């Protein structure tokens, strides 16, 4: 997002293979009105093929979430 907003004349290609994260990224791009980001629901590698991707959903009480809640208070 920072690259897209700081260089509006450039095109940013974003690759995210995980459904939930790709969906959230898509919402963020639309919500911020960014026009120069191209989302690709795919991974990037040096080899062709398929790979398993582990996705661990952050706990409600993760350090990141705690920092967000602290700023809201």
């Amino acid at each position: 997002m920072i690259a897209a907003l700081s260089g509006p004349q450039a095109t940013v290609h974003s690759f995210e293979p995980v459904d939930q994260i790709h969906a959230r990224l898509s919402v963020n791009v639309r919500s911020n009105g960014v026009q120069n980001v191209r989302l690709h629901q795919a991974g990037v590698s040096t080899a062709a093929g398929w790979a398993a991707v582990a996705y661990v959903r952050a706990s409600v009480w993760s350090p990141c979430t705690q920092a967000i809640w602290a700023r809201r208070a």
Side-chain angles (χ1 to χ4, degrees):
M1 293 294 291
I2 293 171
L5 294 172
S6 63
Q9 70 282 3
T11 299
V12 176
H13 291 269
S14 174
F15 296 86
E16 178 51 61
V18 179
D19 292 339
Q20 298 90 334
I21 299 172
H22 184 269
R24 180 175 286 179
L25 178 60
S26 180
V27 167
N28 284 339
V29 168
R30 282 194 312 267
S31 295
N32 285 290
V34 181
Q35 301 294 316
N36 60 335
V37 174
R38 303 297 172 256
L39 302 178
H40 305 276
Q41 191 168 1
V44 177
S45 176
T46 58
W50 295 90
V53 177
Y55 169 65
V56 179
R57 187 168 182 235
S59 150
V60 172
W61 299 112
S62 71
C64 179
T65 307
Q66 288 175 3
I68 292 168
W69 281 104
R71 280 185 265 155
R72 290 183 180 172

